[in-house]
Each structure stands twice: as structure tokens, then as C-alpha cells.
Amino acid sequence: MPLSPITLAPHQVLYEQVAERLMQLITDGTLQPGDRLPSVRKLRSQLSVSTSTVMEAYRLLEDRGLILVRPQSGYYVKQSPLNLPQEPSTTTPPRQATDIDISLAFEVMDLMRNPELIQLGAALPALEQLPLAQLNRLMGKVLRENSLLAHAYGTLLGDLGLRVEVAKRMLDAGCSVHSDQMVITNGANEAIYFCLQALTQPGDTVAIESPTYFAMLEAMKCLGLKALTLSTHPRDGISLSHLEEALESGEVKVVMLVSNFSNPLGSCMDDTRKKQLVELLNRYNTPLIEDDVYGDICFAGARPKAIKAFDTEDRVLYCASVSKTLSPGLRVGWCVGGRYHPAIAQMKSIINQNTAIAPQLTVAAFLANGGYDRHLRQLRRAYRDQMIRMQQAERDYFPAETCMTRPEGGHVLWLEMPQGFDSMRLYREALDQRIAIAPGIMFSASGQCYRNCFRLNTAVVWSEAVEQAMQTLGKLAKTQLAENFLRADGP
Ligand SMILES: Cc1ncc(COP(=O)(O)O)c(C=O)c1O
């Protein structure tokens, strides 16, 4: 099956184009699972590209779980890309700023901590897949070696060694930041809260993606802020034209986003749009709070850049943590505040002085010892495989009308049912069967949108029980849809 040489399309990297070509052959069935792919040498000469380009393309397909390498034998097709249901369309939330209603979130969060439920609701990492034994050993060592220091008040900005390690990691996200411009926080949520508190007064309006990570809504509610919700595409993120209109109206004080593999949609803006977003912020003199907790969990290729990487005027306040990759319980996060750094440091000092020292030193030691990249490689693969299993189960068990996102990283999946579907009913019926899900209205600022949607956590180690839970959810959804159909069709 000779392939013709590639002509480079604008805005596309050569190896990605080679990978696309091969993926097409796998998708249309020309190459079947178990088939051997052309050798690197053969493909190189057929396509007139370099050896490293072919190797990169094969690596990308391997990362996507489509091919596998057999040592001393070659590359083989592992599986065909999933024939996935349709994606949800771009959201169209109300265009005026609204007060925030988060009454449901507390109830759901409480249930999300119940170990007796199959937890498909909370966006928690699977603890079994985190390097807990290693972290526990390091924590013991840290406490033995710092038996006094670990109990003292720490420095306001946080442990310098940790800040240096985080600054090094941020180079991968395209950000060159100084450790003096960073505050270590109790997780990303605290960082987000401090940013909002430092930048706003009660009554101010914050422009956010919609649907929105509900802890952002909770923080805004606490601070008496209003939400201006932006149309959001499930893959590309917020509508920049909608944002521009909102900025033009003069009512937006701050913009706030999850930049990479957002929660709950899984969207990830490409670099061009990230750059355009920063240009808009500069033009309208507006700060952005960027939450990048999922950026390290990309399924294929290099980690996406942060919006902060394009920040020419120091307006982006960058927040992240190790909660999704190492340990949610250590509560170690950070904020790089740009021009607002002094205000963030002041907030930290007022609210809780400093983050506990032992967890900071433990994370610093883990990041410094070089095991983080290896761990990330395993975790990305595990999360990718679990996402695929969840998508397969959705395709097999859910009604044909279900639309589903296709995240390329992170660990949440967003499902959209036809209008009229009630995910609160599904939530309650699922609870009766000991299954937790996150109903869509939790992610709506007004508590009025996304009633027909719900979110599933995909960071669960696959088991018979999870498979059965998906089967049960599918059955409940089908029953509800059938009843809705009969009611609509009735006399
Ligand atoms: C988008 C997003 N940001 C922040 C967090 C929480 O981070 P942390 O546990 O570090 O406070 C979560 C957890 O679900 C999240 O999904």
C-alpha cells in the first residue's frame, strides 16, 4: 500500500500529518487490528520525510492507543479509533450576568465522599494509580530530617525548593517564571479563591466558561460576585467573539478559565486561540485567572502550553496543583500571580499564613528526584485507557441519542441527552443503585442550565462493578427517554 509524499499543510506539524494519514487508513479499515505497519525505513522513503518524523508519528499513534510496538518485530495496529457518538454542540448560556445558585453542590459533594458508592461523580483521581508508597516514604524521610522545621511556621511564599521545582516544571507549559513570583497554596482551589479575592469587590462580574467547574462557582458565590457565562465549544473552549463583546460592554472585571482539558467539558484551546485570548485581555486591560490542574494529563504528544505562556503583560494569574497527578490529600498547589503577586501573597498571609511544611517538602523531593516524568507517562496511559473504556461503555449501553465529549486529556466526560431529559432524576435513581454521578446543573452558574447533561469521572480503575454501573446508568437513561417520548406522543 504505497503512500504518496506529503505536502505540508499550513499550521500543521509534519509528524502530525503523517500520523493523521495512518490514522485514516486505520479508521477506514485498510489497516486492521493486528496488521503490521510499514517499517520506519519504508515509510520514510514513501513519504519523503525523515526517520525522526516517522518515529514521532508512530509515537503519537502509540500514545493514542492505536498502535503498539513489538520489540524486534515492528509496529502493529492495536485497535481502530472508536466510532464515537456525536459531540455536544457549543453551549449557549444566558448572555446577561447572573447571581450564582450553588445549592445542589453541597449535597452532591457530600455524597461524593461516600466510599460505599461507585464514584463516577467526583473528579477524583484513582488513588491506586498515584505513587503513594513513594510519597509516604519521602514524607517519613522529610519528617525525620526536619523534625523541628516541619512544625514551625513556614515562609509566606512557601518552601523555596518547591517553588524552584515548580518553576522548572512550568517550562514544559511554555512558562518562564521566577520562584519569587509564586505563592504555594492549599491546592488549586485556594489559589483560585485568593486570586478572585485579590482582584474583585462584591457585586463585580467574572466572565467564565459554561458549563463551569463548580468550585469556581462556589468561590464566586462566597465573594458575592456575578457570573457572565460564555458560549463554550466542547473541544476549542470559550467563544472569543462572545468574550470580546462582554469585555467591550465594560462589565467584566476578571476572566476565569480552566485552560487545558477543562472540567467538565474537557476542552483545550490551541496555541493560536490562547494567543488571541491574551491579546484581547491586553486590549481591554483585564486580568485572567488560569486554572491548569489538568495540563499535565494529556493523552498524546507534548503537554499543551498554558495561556500564561503567551502572557506578554503579566496579566495572567496561573493556578495549579499536584491534586490530579500526585496526591489530592497533600493539598499542595500554587499561584503565579504576575503583576498581582503582592496582592496574592497578602491574601495568603491574612487567611492562613503558610501551607503546611511537610507536604511541601515531600512534593519538592518527589519533583526533584526525577520520578515525576516516569510517573506521568504511566498515568497518562492509564487515564487514556480508562477514558476509552468509559467511552466504549457509553457507546454500548447508553441511548443512541446521547452526545459525548472527546477529551484528549484530563479525566472527566460530559454527556448530553435530548432536551427534556432530567439528570437530577437520573442522579437520584442512580443513587438508589449506589452509583454517584454529577448532574449538569451543578456546573450552571444560575442553576438553571444543563439539566439534560451530566458528568462522569473516568479516573476509575476498570472493574466488573464499574462496567455494571455504566450498564445500569444506560438502562435508567433509556427508560427515562422512552417515558418522555410516550408522554410527548400521548393524547
Ligand atoms: C478544574 C479544577 N480545578 C481545581 C480542582 C481542585 O484542585 P485542588 O484539589 O488542588 O484544590 C479541581 C478538582 O476537581 C478541578 O477539576
Side-chain angles (χ1 to χ4, degrees):
M1 170 236 359
L3 297 168
S4 54
I6 291 236
T7 40
L8 192 56
H11 312 306
Q12 210 179 12
V13 187
L14 189 54
Y15 77 86
E16 285 176 354
Q17 266 183 279
V18 174
E20 285 296 323
R21 278 268 195 110
L22 291 166
M23 202 160 98
Q24 194 54 46
L25 294 172
I26 300 173
T27 310
D28 69 19
T30 311
L31 288 168
Q32 298 274 341
D35 282 356
R36 188 162 185 260
L37 289 146
S39 69
V40 172
R41 198 183 320 156
K42 195 164 168 193
L43 198 60
R44 183 191 66 186
S45 79
Q46 277 184 1
L47 298 178
S48 305
V49 296
S50 68
T51 302
S52 62
T53 298
V54 176
M55 297 290 290
E56 275 298 307
Y58 277 168
R59 210 163 297 137
L60 187 61
L61 292 173
E62 212 187 333
D63 283 348
R64 287 186 179 157
L66 296 176
I67 68 171
L68 53 84
V69 60
R70 295 205 181 115
Q72 268 133 36
S73 176
Y75 292 90
Y76 290 81
V77 178
K78 186 176 167 194
Q79 61 182 11
S80 308
L82 285 181
N83 192 8
L84 293 177
Q86 235 187 312
E87 278 181 294
S89 39
T90 302
T91 60
T92 51
R95 287 213 155 201
Q96 64 283 6
T98 53
D99 288 327
I100 295 166
D101 179 353
I102 46 157
S103 40
L104 179 67
F106 289 112
E107 175 192 329
V108 175
M109 280 308 290
D110 209 28
L111 284 169
M112 283 174 179
R113 298 196 174 98
N114 181 343
E116 292 185 358
L117 300 176
I118 304 233
Q119 285 294 354
L120 304 180
L124 305 172
L127 295 181
E128 306 90 307
Q129 290 171 329
L130 300 179
L132 302 188
Q134 212 179 332
L135 286 169
N136 289 342
R137 264 198 310 278
L138 282 173
M139 174 87 91
K141 186 161 176 277
V142 155
L143 285 170
R144 276 194 305 281
E145 290 175 358
N146 301 275
S147 55
L148 288 182
L149 180 74
H151 297 280
Y153 279 117
T155 52
L156 172 60
L157 299 188
D159 176 64
L160 176 62
L162 174 59
R163 284 184 281 127
V164 168
E165 289 306 322
V166 171
K168 283 192 213 157
R169 297 292 324 172
M170 283 185 65
L171 291 171
D172 286 352
C175 304
S176 165
V177 302
H178 197 277
S179 55
D180 287 355
Q181 297 299 305
M182 185 185 305
V183 180
I184 302 297
T185 56
N186 290 304
N189 279 355
E190 186 181 77
I192 290 165
Y193 189 84
F194 288 161
C195 292
L196 281 172
Q197 199 168 35
L199 296 175
T200 61
Q201 300 289 329
D204 283 345
T205 295
V206 182
I208 50 175
E209 59 206 323
S210 180
T212 316
Y213 167 47
F214 61 80
M216 287 181 165
L217 298 174
E218 287 175 321
M220 288 166 63
K221 173 83 177 169
C222 245
L223 294 167
L225 302 170
K226 285 188 163 48
L228 196 147
T229 45
L230 303 167
S231 291
T232 308
H233 184 274
R235 237 175 312 142
D236 303 334
I238 55 159
S239 154
L240 292 180
S241 59
H242 193 175
L243 175 62
E244 184 164 12
E245 264 173 49
L247 292 172
E248 182 66 38
S249 74
E251 61 179 325
V252 175
K253 192 74 181 286
V254 187
V255 183
M256 181 161 67
L257 298 176
V258 182
S259 48
N260 295 312
F261 318 122
S262 71
N263 176 2
L265 282 184
S267 60
C268 184
M269 283 183 165
D270 64 22
D271 287 355
T272 310
R273 300 186 80 249
K274 282 176 177 152
K275 214 165 153 208
Q276 286 167 351
L277 169 60
V278 169
E279 283 162 9
L280 262 181
L281 298 169
N282 287 345
R283 195 158 358 118
Y284 290 93
N285 210 356
T286 306
L288 168 82
I289 301 170
E290 173 179 21
D291 175 358
D292 191 21
V293 286
Y294 293 106
D296 271 350
I297 318 173
C298 51
F299 298 155
R303 179 207 198 286
K305 285 195 178 136
I307 299 171
K308 179 87 187 148
F310 303 95
D311 182 16
T312 47
E313 297 185 5
D314 233 8
R315 285 179 200 288
V316 179
L317 300 95
Y318 178 90
C319 307
S321 74
V322 295
S323 298
K324 304 297 167 186
T325 52
L326 290 183
S327 161
L330 287 181
R331 307 307 299 135
V332 172
W334 49 89
C335 174
V336 179
R339 59 169 78 187
Y340 311 97
H341 171 71
I344 305 296
Q346 196 182 11
M347 282 302 150
K348 180 71 186 169
S349 154
I350 294 169
I351 305 286
N352 58 23
Q353 190 62 35
N354 64 269
T355 298
I357 294 177
Q360 291 192 64
L361 296 180
T362 305
V363 171
F366 192 96
L367 294 178
N369 78 9
Y372 188 65
D373 282 314
R374 195 173 351 106
H375 161 63
L376 269 189
R377 272 196 298 280
Q378 285 170 4
L379 194 68
R380 287 169 177 166
R381 215 162 278 161
Y383 280 175
R384 178 203 67 205
D385 290 347
Q386 284 155 202
M387 176 69 74
I388 291 173
R389 292 297 295 266
M390 197 66 106
Q391 289 174 321
Q392 277 169 338
E394 188 281 339
R395 188 197 52 191
D396 294 344
Y397 302 131
F398 278 63
E401 298 89 332
T402 315
C403 294
M404 176 175 70
T405 48
R406 295 155 195 212
E408 297 197 1
H411 55 75
V412 291
L413 198 58
W414 180 251
L415 284 84
E416 182 187 275
M417 311 299 284
Q419 285 300 332
F421 185 88
D422 183 3
S423 65
M424 280 307 295
R425 172 177 160 188
L426 180 68
Y427 162 73
R428 298 228 149 82
E429 289 175 345
L431 272 185
D432 290 342
Q433 312 274 338
R434 306 207 149 279
I435 304 163
I437 61 165
I441 58 172
M442 282 179 73
F443 306 91
S444 157
S446 62
Q448 303 295 319
C449 303
Y450 312 119
R451 203 170 181 98
N452 59 324
C453 303
F454 55 100
R455 187 196 70 183
L456 297 175
N457 177 36
T458 62
V460 283
V461 176
W462 205 259
S463 64
E464 185 68 20
V466 177
E467 179 98 20
Q468 267 176 14
M470 288 298 283
Q471 220 167 337
T472 305
L473 287 175
K475 239 188 247 168
L476 292 172
K478 279 181 182 162
T479 307
Q480 188 183 149
L481 274 189
E483 283 175 18
N484 290 357
F485 178 74
L486 284 177
R487 215 169 299 131
D489 218 32

